[in-house]
Amino acid sequence: MNSAALQAGRQLAIERVERLSESDLADLAEATDAAIIEGGGFGWLEPQGRGALERHFRGVLLVPERELFVARLDGHAVGSAQLVRPPRNNEAQAFGATLTHAYIAPYARGFGLARLLVRRVEERAAALGHRVLNLDVRETQTTAIALFESLGYVHWGTHPYYARAKGQTVAGHFYFKTLEPGRGRSTGELIDGAV
């Protein structure tokens, strides 16, 4: 817990979840719609409402290659992120995974939850044996970009026609971060081809 959260007496938690209660689904729907309204990077441009978002999150839990992480503030779900692993038939890219749909509701920001959420996904990816974590983000999401860059993500490219939002074409930035395993050969040795 960071000092601001301790001073405020707030409880912060990040969980990898395999099921969601009805109250979690309601909290996530509210948090997701709030993030969408503020221009968050969930992919939707307009709020989806509770029913659509509950179906979405239930569906995420059914996909074997996806893991859902939920950020909690004082026990309430206020954001989430997904770790997406390559399908089993893609052995050539099995060393990498993707961080996607990461957000914290606007009313729950300022406690360090976004940083904790990303770090937890990184830890899980490394524990599963992934050596690289990839992500992409719209150029308009400057707060997310600043967070990812502060956490060591490397910007490797920009797609000038990445998305359409509010009638405008928006570029997308692509990032990666190498992950170190808990034991064994370093990622640098494997990537650089050292024996």
Side-chain angles (χ1 to χ4, degrees):
M1 229 183 262
N2 67 27
S3 62
L6 284 172
Q7 291 170 358
R10 309 303 291 264
Q11 294 179 346
L12 308 179
I14 306 298
E15 297 177 33
R16 182 173 57 90
V17 299
E18 295 179 2
R19 68 186 72 109
L20 293 165
S21 69
E22 290 300 316
S23 63
D24 283 343
L25 286 166
D27 286 348
L28 277 177
E30 179 183 329
T32 304
D33 270 345
I36 292 167
I37 289 166
E38 195 184 64
F42 207 82
W44 282 299
L45 299 174
E46 299 295 329
Q48 297 299 298
R50 183 172 172 173
L53 291 170
E54 286 182 3
R55 286 189 300 277
H56 167 78
F57 285 109
R58 283 187 180 111
V60 167
L61 295 175
L62 296 175
V63 180
E65 292 84 10
R66 287 185 182 259
E67 293 189 8
L68 180 64
F69 294 79
V70 172
R72 295 184 185 279
L73 179 62
D74 297 332
H76 295 280
V78 295
S80 70
Q82 295 175 36
L83 174 63
V84 181
R85 300 179 314 274
R88 279 186 244 153
N89 67 329
N90 190 353
E91 291 178 342
Q93 291 181 326
F95 68 94
T98 302
L99 167 63
T100 188
H101 299 307
Y103 70 98
I104 299 295
Y107 51 81
R109 294 181 185 155
F111 296 102
L113 276 169
R115 184 173 295 276
L116 290 173
L117 181 62
V118 173
R119 292 216 171 163
R120 179 67 178 96
V121 173
E122 291 172 356
E123 290 167 3
R124 175 66 176 162
L128 291 170
H130 299 294
R131 300 299 184 103
V132 177
L133 195 56
N134 300 296
L135 64 89
D136 53 270
V137 62
R138 291 193 305 255
E139 70 178 346
T140 55
Q141 297 170 295
T142 55
T143 302
I145 289 169
L147 170 68
F148 294 132
E149 290 180 355
S150 76
L151 289 171
Y153 284 82
V154 177
H155 177 235
W156 64 266
T158 299
H159 185 316
Y161 310 111
Y162 175 79
R164 294 277 300 164
K166 298 182 182 178
Q168 301 290 319
T169 301
V170 178
H173 296 297
F174 292 80
Y175 289 86
F176 75 90
K177 182 177 183 178
T178 57
L179 306 173
E180 291 300 326
R183 58 190 169 160
R185 292 175 62 190
S186 76
T187 298
E189 289 176 358
L190 291 176
I191 290 173
D192 295 336
V195 179

